[in-house]
Amino acid sequence: MGQNKTLTPSGSVNDNNGGNNYQLDFVNNTNGEITAKELTASFTADNKVYDGKDSVNIATRTLQGVVGNEDVSLDGGMAKFDDKNVADGKTGTATDFTLAGTAKDNYKLEAGPWTATADIKPAPLTVT
């Protein structure tokens, strides 16, 4: 990735005549730029029992668009619900994800924030 990379063109012509209708001339050592590929991030959130807080536990982090088996992963981040109240299917919003791994500089992360849903269940009470 970067600027002023040497590009070496090559190829052939498919003209249904074995390429004989055209002569190709390539300009070698042309400089170009390789830009970072944008990745799509997502996460899942754990359900929780009411604890008076709006925090979300991020269960999994996933990246879509990584080339082959390159070493790049989604790291960090924090998530919160809109409020702390009990409800099913609440939206949790995450921010501050980053890329990690040896190939991370070949990629850029789509702009967040990112969302997932989870439940806040009622806290059990013991009455005596």
Side-chain angles (χ1 to χ4, degrees):
M1 194 175 93
Q3 296 179 353
N4 295 320
K5 298 287 185 178
T6 299
L7 305 177
T8 305
S10 65
S12 61
V13 174
N14 182 359
D15 63 358
N16 295 321
N17 188 26
N20 293 324
N21 293 335
Y22 299 94
Q23 177 182 341
L24 295 178
D25 293 318
F26 293 104
V27 177
N28 289 322
N29 299 322
T30 301
N31 289 335
E33 181 178 349
I34 299 173
T35 58
K37 182 178 181 186
E38 185 171 80
L39 299 178
T40 301
S42 60
F43 76 100
T44 60
D46 284 334
N47 295 331
K48 73 177 197 174
V49 174
Y50 177 78
D51 62 2
K53 299 176 185 172
D54 63 358
S55 60
V56 174
N57 183 49
I58 297 172
T60 64
R61 294 167 178 81
T62 307
L63 285 173
Q64 292 85 36
V66 175
V67 175
N69 292 323
E70 289 196 330
D71 178 25
V72 63
S73 59
L74 190 60
D75 195 29
M78 58 179 280
K80 291 187 173 203
F81 291 115
D82 291 336
D83 61 51
K84 64 182 182 175
N85 299 321
V86 170
D88 290 339
K90 293 181 70 82
T91 299
T93 302
T95 58
D96 300 328
F97 283 137
T98 59
L99 295 177
T102 58
K104 71 179 180 180
D105 293 336
N106 295 327
Y107 298 94
K108 65 181 179 179
L109 189 57
E110 69 175 346
W114 304 271
T115 61
T117 58
D119 304 335
I120 299 179
K121 298 294 184 185
L125 295 175
T126 303
V127 178
T128 58

